[in-house]
Amino acid sequence: MTIRLVIADDHAMIRAGLRLVVENALGVDVVGEAADGVEAVAVARRERPDVLLLDIAMPRMDGLDAARMLLGDPDPPRIVMLTTFGSDANLHLALRTGVHGFLLKSSPPEHLIEAMRVAAAGDALIDPAVTLRVIASFAAQPVLAPPPELAALTARELDVLLLLARGLSNREIAAAAGVGEVTIRSHVTQILRKLGVRDRLQAVVLAYECGIVRPGGV
């Protein structure tokens, strides 16, 4: 399946570099570019990409506002935010907005390709280098009451949720738990269904917000 991609960043050299990486990757087609948030919204609505790589800090409209607008549309693109380690508040706000991942501009090309493929497949990904900052952003927020849906998780599913909160992939969780990756995928599917969340990133958001996981305790 070809992944249709729009790249939004206010620096032309960064857009060119991202385009070069993804056009050399199998199954990725750059269908548009944008230099600010207003243009990003217009291009995404016109081209209907599968994935939008969206810089947080842009002129006229920042990436957070652009993401909010697009995620309010019917059948929005999967949005992966680009960051240069902006404020923790921005990371937290972007997660609450419902974006599908974070990627550092300094990440290696394979992280970029994996983030797009994961997002296009309907899941979410946080760059490992951003994980601790995301955790810290939730540590500063008030702890919410655990939702009643949490009680529906089995002990094994709760263990998997804790490992998800550490940023582990299905393969890494399978290795840690001593089971097959197919089994972990099944557990993750059940966790998402029972919690009523869209993807693993939103499950992790819930885990931190209601205090199931706290920094230093995962």
Side-chain angles (χ1 to χ4, degrees):
M1 179 188 76
T2 299
I3 299 171
R4 290 169 50 81
L5 175 71
V6 166
I7 301 171
D9 192 286
D10 57 326
H11 293 93
M13 289 185 64
I14 291 178
R15 294 199 307 273
L18 292 169
R19 175 184 278 272
L20 180 63
V21 169
V22 298
E23 287 186 336
N24 286 331
L26 181 65
V28 176
D29 180 21
V30 178
V31 296
E33 295 186 13
D36 59 55
V38 173
E39 189 177 6
V41 172
V43 173
R45 285 174 171 170
R46 182 181 71 241
E47 299 297 338
R48 310 295 298 170
D50 301 305
V51 180
L52 169 62
L53 281 176
L54 183 61
D55 187 18
I56 288 181
M58 290 189 294
R60 291 211 292 169
M61 178 189 295
D62 66 25
L64 292 174
D65 286 338
R68 289 189 190 98
M69 291 186 66
L70 289 170
L71 290 171
D73 290 347
D75 193 25
R78 310 288 295 183
I79 298 177
V80 177
M81 303 299 293
L82 294 168
T83 178
T84 53
F85 265 152
S87 73
D88 295 336
N90 278 347
L91 295 175
H92 183 268
L93 286 171
L95 283 173
R96 295 309 306 142
T97 297
V99 302
H100 306 92
F102 282 101
L103 190 70
L104 286 180
K105 292 182 182 180
S106 58
S107 296
E110 57 267 25
H111 284 188
L112 172 62
I113 301 304
E114 179 65 12
M116 287 186 302
R117 288 178 174 162
V118 166
D123 210 331
L125 178 146
I126 300 179
D127 190 303
V130 185
T131 301
L132 291 179
R133 296 291 293 268
V134 172
I135 291 172
S137 77
F138 282 100
Q141 307 301 315
V143 175
L144 304 178
E149 293 83 2
L150 189 65
L153 298 185
T154 66
R156 172 63 79 176
E157 289 165 353
L158 185 57
D159 287 342
V160 171
L161 178 58
L162 297 179
L163 293 172
L164 286 177
R166 290 173 50 191
L168 272 62
S169 67
N170 287 351
R171 182 176 302 174
E172 291 167 332
I173 294 172
V179 298
E181 191 173 349
V182 172
T183 299
I184 296 302
R185 284 201 297 269
S186 177
H187 285 319
V188 172
T189 298
Q190 289 302 310
I191 290 168
L192 302 186
R193 182 185 64 80
K194 290 179 179 180
L195 295 181
V197 295
R198 183 192 61 213
D199 53 42
R200 63 199 296 137
L201 185 53
Q202 294 301 302
V204 171
V205 168
L206 184 150
Y208 278 103
E209 284 193 326
C210 65
I212 304 167
V213 184
R214 301 298 295 168
V218 296

